[in-house]
Amino acid sequence: MKRKMVIANRKMHGNIPDNKAFLEGLLDEVAELPDADYVVCMPHPYHFQVQAILTGTRISWGGQTMSRFEFGAHTGSTSPLMLLEFGCKYVIIGHSERRLSGYESDEASGQRFEEAIKVGLIPIFCMGETLKEFEAGMTVDVVIRQLNAVINRVGKEGLAKGIIAYEPVWAIGTGKAATPEHAQCILSFLRGHIELIDEALAKNITILYGGSVNAKNAQKLFSMPDIDGGLIGGASLNTQEFIAICKAANDAS
Ligand code: 13P
């Protein structure tokens, strides 16, 4: 059985005392949860704090996005090299909240993926359809288009250096998670698509589900054969709830 992974995407939430309570609370508990892997993605200004608290522990951390460029006149952007300097191992790429605000198109997400693996960050590549696309039965077309934008750019060797997360837009922050059966169906389809390129990669690549995962539904979602864990938004703002999700991942590993 593959190790499950739980990633907190804390989005634009938190402050210094709240982060401290969250990270220290999590550290106390994950010591007892050795069978899964845990990552936290906090807003960029807090990486210094995250690094100070998590260095040498079994929790990794990452950025919520990054620039396609390593340096230059890009006001307000964060270089992947800067993320590395603060100990980030991961970076979220192509999150729908950034895609839909026009910052990360398929092409720009592919470029970021390529740059992330070039500098040694592990991209957490997000994909997923909107409600309109879901209702029009376009889920598979959308996720394959989004995934192919990466595969066409970095090939199977590049894809192997990242993680994939299926996050249907209609499930994000709505409290209406995809059913475990729907999530399993799409993840199994994605794995099948990758299998056409490389069988071993399809088996080994980590594919997460994200969208209203909480302490109640995590166990059932993580019991699905193709779901390797979760990308958690809102539920990561409540330390006890997030710990319960980590426990579900540990128990399902
Ligand atoms: P929610 O868990 O709040 O639905 O957010 C999911 C998400 O966007 C994680 O990246």
Side-chain angles (χ1 to χ4, degrees), residues 28-245:
D28 282 348
E29 297 290 333
V30 299
E32 309 296 321
L33 306 172
D35 296 327
D37 296 313
Y38 313 102
V39 180
V40 294
C41 296
M42 317 283 275
H44 290 175
Y46 299 123
H47 289 317
F48 189 74
Q49 181 193 22
V50 175
Q51 185 178 34
I53 297 177
L54 296 184
T55 296
T57 72
R58 39 189 312 274
I59 304 176
S60 303
W61 60 99
Q64 295 180 5
T65 183
M66 54 168 247
S67 171
R68 290 173 267 173
F69 308 104
E70 292 181 11
F71 57 87
H74 305 288
T75 302
S77 300
T78 304
S79 158
L81 299 177
M82 296 170 187
L83 294 179
L84 280 175
E85 216 175 353
F86 287 94
C88 289
K89 186 170 169 192
Y90 295 88
V91 62
I92 296 172
I93 304 260
H95 193 282
S96 61
E97 283 154 16
R98 295 192 58 82
R99 286 181 187 268
L100 295 172
S101 19
Y103 295 118
E104 300 190 25
S105 60
D106 284 349
E107 158 131 31
S109 300
Q111 287 171 336
R112 280 178 171 79
F113 193 107
E114 184 174 33
E115 176 60 26
I117 59 174
K118 183 180 145 210
V119 303
L121 287 164
I122 301 175
I124 302 158
F125 182 72
C126 299
M127 64 191 89
E129 80 286 8
T130 62
L131 181 61
K132 206 166 154 207
E133 290 163 339
F134 174 71
E135 287 174 346
M138 288 167 62
T139 301
V140 160
D141 301 312
V142 171
V143 294
I144 292 303
R145 190 199 75 224
Q146 292 172 335
L147 181 58
N148 281 346
V150 166
I151 296 174
N152 293 340
R153 182 169 276 273
V154 300
K156 60 182 183 180
E157 295 79 11
L159 183 64
K161 295 182 179 152
I163 285 173
I164 294 173
Y166 168 59
E167 297 205 302
V169 177
W170 46 267
I172 295 179
T174 58
K176 289 188 200 147
T179 61
E181 293 73 20
H182 172 81
Q184 163 60 27
C185 171
I186 302 304
L187 266 61
S188 137
F189 182 84
L190 286 168
R191 232 180 261 287
H193 182 71
I194 296 168
E195 198 173 1
L196 297 175
I197 315 165
D198 188 315
E199 250 177 67
L201 174 57
K203 209 162 140 233
N204 295 331
I205 193 165
T206 295
I207 311 186
L208 308 176
Y209 166 75
S212 296
V213 178
N214 57 37
K216 285 207 184 87
N217 60 24
Q219 194 187 11
K220 185 86 200 294
L221 283 162
F222 297 166
S223 71
M224 293 288 151
D226 284 298
I227 301 183
D228 296 328
L231 182 51
I232 319 298
S236 72
L237 300 179
N238 177 321
T239 309
Q240 289 315 314
E241 175 140 29
F242 186 65
I243 288 167
I245 296 170

Side-chain angles (χ1 to χ4, degrees), residues 1-6 26-38 57-59 243 246-253:
M1 180 73 100
K2 211 190 278 175
R3 284 173 76 81
K4 303 277 180 199
M5 176 174 249
V6 179
L26 195 55
L27 272 179
D28 282 348
E29 297 290 333
V30 299
E32 309 296 321
L33 306 172
D35 296 327
D37 296 313
Y38 313 102
T57 72
R58 39 189 312 274
I59 304 176
I243 288 167
C246 294
K247 281 195 176 122
N250 181 74
D251 296 347
S253 289

